[in-house]
């Protein structure tokens, strides 16, 4: 699997591009960490909300999938 290509303006300095990519990676890490915490929470309500969020994300991905299939 290839990493996603994030188009950034060519006029940006390399350090700015690097900083933006680091912020995106950190945000992704925080979201994954938060979801894993919620999925393993002793609180039933938090676990259920995490499962609902996961399923909603899956539905959105499945709806987007046909856009990438050849017609």
């Amino acid at each position: 699997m290839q990493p996603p290509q994030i188009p950034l303006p060519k006029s940006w300095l390399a350090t700015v591009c690097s900083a933006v990519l680091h912020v995106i990676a950190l945000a992704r890490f925080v979201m994954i960490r938060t979801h894993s915490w919620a999925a393993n929470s002793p609180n039933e309500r938090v676990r259920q909300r995490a499962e609902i969020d996961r399923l909603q994300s899956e539905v959105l991905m499945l709806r987007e999938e046909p856009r990438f299939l050849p017609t």
Side-chain angles (χ1 to χ4, degrees):
M1 180 176 190
Q2 277 189 326
Q5 297 296 317
I6 301 173
L8 298 173
K10 299 233 185 266
S11 61
W12 284 10
L13 297 174
T15 53
V16 174
C17 290
S18 178
V20 168
L21 294 177
H22 278 88
V23 167
I24 292 170
L26 182 59
R28 181 180 164 107
F29 172 77
V30 168
M31 293 207 32
I32 290 170
R33 180 79 170 118
T34 303
H35 279 273
S36 68
W37 169 83
N40 296 320
S41 174
N43 185 330
E44 176 74 18
R45 193 168 175 181
V46 172
R47 284 195 315 269
Q48 288 175 346
R49 184 70 230 178
E51 180 67 8
I52 289 168
D53 288 346
R54 186 189 68 77
L55 292 171
Q56 286 175 336
S57 294
E58 188 171 337
V59 166
L60 288 173
M61 286 191 306
L62 290 171
R63 286 182 180 163
E64 288 293 317
E65 197 173 82
R67 289 184 7 177
F68 302 106
L69 296 175
T71 54

